[in-house]
Amino acid sequence: MNSDTVHQKALVKEIMSNSVVSVDSSVAATDAAKMMEDADVGAIAVLENGSPVGIVTDRDFAIKIAAHSYPLDTPIRRMMSSPLISIDPNSDLWTASDLMSSRNVRKLPVIDDDRIVGIITSSDLVKYFASL
């Protein structure tokens, strides 16, 4: 089996993190930031009626709260990146890498049946490819 075959068979679900923090879109930015800190994560999924609609990253906080002076009680829906760029757990890692590159994102929520089941980051991909 050559290395190209190995790469194509590696799937998102094999290296994604299953630990995902999510909040309702009405939650205040400060509450969402505290949840991210408590869970030691760099992104939080935003839900409306239980369905994923966006994502907020630590970078979003830096830009929108610090650089653009959004109030700390801003609803997270005003800060989220939307529409949500996501991937299926059965997609291969090259597809995830291409999607991150073409859409200029570093974190991809993994969606299965309209439910967030994990998250994959550019760091996860680098660690995986470096280990080959």
Side-chain angles (χ1 to χ4, degrees):
M1 184 182 280
N2 66 32
S3 63
D4 287 339
T5 304
V6 171
H7 293 200
Q8 294 221 341
K9 292 196 181 223
L11 302 178
V12 166
K13 66 184 175 185
E14 295 169 18
I15 70 165
M16 71 182 190
S17 169
N18 294 310
S19 177
V20 181
V21 177
S22 60
V23 296
D24 186 78
S25 64
S26 63
V27 168
T30 52
D31 294 333
K34 183 65 177 151
M35 291 175 72
M36 288 172 64
E37 178 186 31
D38 291 347
D40 193 28
V41 296
I44 193 164
V46 182
L47 308 176
E48 286 186 351
N49 300 317
S51 294
V53 293
I55 188 170
V56 175
T57 66
D58 42 15
R59 185 171 187 273
D60 292 322
F61 278 97
I63 291 170
K64 292 176 180 156
I65 298 289
H68 294 291
S69 301
Y70 278 38
L72 295 176
D73 62 350
T74 297
I76 206 72
R77 81 170 63 82
R78 288 200 49 220
M79 296 178 52
M80 71 181 180
S81 296
S82 184
L84 187 62
I85 300 166
S86 62
I87 196 157
D88 182 274
N90 293 308
S91 295
D92 66 67
L93 297 183
W94 285 113
T95 301
S97 179
D98 287 343
L99 183 58
M100 284 183 189
S101 178
S102 67
R103 300 303 294 269
N104 196 30
V105 296
R106 292 182 289 275
K107 296 171 177 35
L108 281 177
V110 182
I111 308 287
D112 190 20
D113 196 26
D114 202 32
R115 229 174 30 89
I116 296 181
V117 295
I119 192 163
I120 187 168
T121 68
S122 55
S123 296
D124 295 331
L125 292 173
V126 168
K127 287 176 193 169
Y128 175 79
F129 289 123
S131 72
L132 297 179

